[in-house]
Amino acid sequence: MIRSTVEHLKTYLEIQVPIRYEDTWFRELRSRFSNSPVRWQKGYYHITMAFINETPKGVDMRPILERHLSSAVAPRVVFDRLDAFSINQGKYIIHLATSHVPGEFLSLTESIRADMKDVGCVIYSDFLLHVTLGRIYSSDVELSDIMEVLDKITMPPITLALTDMDYRLYRGRTLFETRLNDGKSRRDV
């Protein structure tokens, strides 16, 4: 009997984005979509740096994360636009976006993802810097309709330092968390 060395354990590496549901621009966004079937995210805003679909048995991600994050500088991201994309027909994500992804942040993300793949992790999705604000599940809505509404909203640029990172099970507990550039708050859970 052949035993699989891969668990179908799904995990995320995320960096938290400190926005609030009651921010003025977010209230305006929700108001513009008041007649649409949007399920708004009401907390824990983040950027998914890596969604790991399968993790090899016995692989501890902490050394990989420590190696990359112990000296990493918290990225400063200017979120300056609202956008949307389609997951597939009738499923859409409304999100906060940036016109410029900081090179250091992109390099950090790509390096971590490459090291995860090198130890046998399976990652199906590419990295797309976005912060999910809401989801629409409706076959009656087209992406062009969503974009038409978004284009009418003035998004003031918001510059945020992103410091808090979590590596956690999909819809589960945190396995590792850290605060960039602050060794005192780094801890395992």
Side-chain angles (χ1 to χ4, degrees):
M1 176 183 201
I2 299 174
R3 298 183 83 189
S4 173
T5 58
V6 177
E7 295 180 80
H8 293 287
L9 180 66
K10 294 181 181 184
T11 57
Y12 286 100
L13 176 62
E14 302 169 328
I15 190 163
Q16 295 176 28
V17 179
I19 59 172
R20 296 178 332 205
Y21 189 72
E22 288 306 318
D23 286 342
T24 303
W25 63 268
F26 203 169
R27 283 196 317 261
E28 179 186 353
L29 173 66
R30 292 192 312 272
S31 174
R32 297 284 182 128
F33 281 93
S34 61
N35 294 324
S36 299
V38 182
R39 290 195 293 194
W40 296 106
Q41 183 97 4
K42 291 186 181 176
Y44 194 72
Y45 302 100
H46 62 276
I47 297 166
T48 302
M49 296 171 68
F51 178 78
I52 299 93
N53 297 84
E54 298 175 5
T55 306
K57 266 188 182 167
V59 171
D60 184 0
M61 293 297 169
R62 284 177 281 209
I64 291 172
L65 297 173
E66 281 287 344
R67 183 172 62 250
H68 289 284
L69 302 176
S70 63
S71 62
V73 175
R76 295 187 74 77
V77 179
V78 178
F79 295 98
D80 58 358
R81 61 191 180 91
L82 297 165
D83 206 348
F85 60 84
S86 174
I87 298 171
N88 56 41
Q89 186 61 32
K91 294 182 181 179
Y92 308 96
I93 301 291
I94 297 173
H95 64 94
L96 188 58
T98 182
S99 298
H100 173 72
V101 178
E104 299 83 18
F105 182 59
L106 187 56
S107 293
L108 174 66
T109 301
E110 289 173 349
S111 295
I112 292 171
R113 291 168 61 94
D115 282 358
M116 288 176 161
K117 288 178 182 178
D118 285 348
V119 297
C121 292
V122 177
I123 301 174
Y124 294 132
S125 59
D126 293 328
F127 174 67
L128 171 64
L129 193 152
H130 71 283
V131 180
T132 298
L133 302 172
R135 295 170 178 83
I136 298 176
Y137 300 100
S138 173
S139 58
D140 296 332
V141 177
E142 296 291 329
L143 185 58
S144 59
D145 300 330
I146 297 168
M147 294 306 297
E148 186 177 319
V149 174
L150 292 176
D151 288 342
K152 294 177 184 172
I153 299 171
T154 302
M155 178 69 206
I158 304 167
T159 302
L160 299 171
L162 308 179
T163 58
D164 297 327
M165 299 192 69
D166 294 309
Y167 175 66
R168 63 187 179 92
L169 294 173
Y170 178 64
R171 299 182 191 235
R173 70 183 174 93
T174 298
L175 302 171
F176 173 86
E177 62 185 358
T178 193
R179 183 171 174 88
L180 297 181
N181 278 341
D182 184 2
K184 290 182 237 173
S185 67
R186 184 173 293 113
R187 68 180 191 266
D188 294 72
V189 177

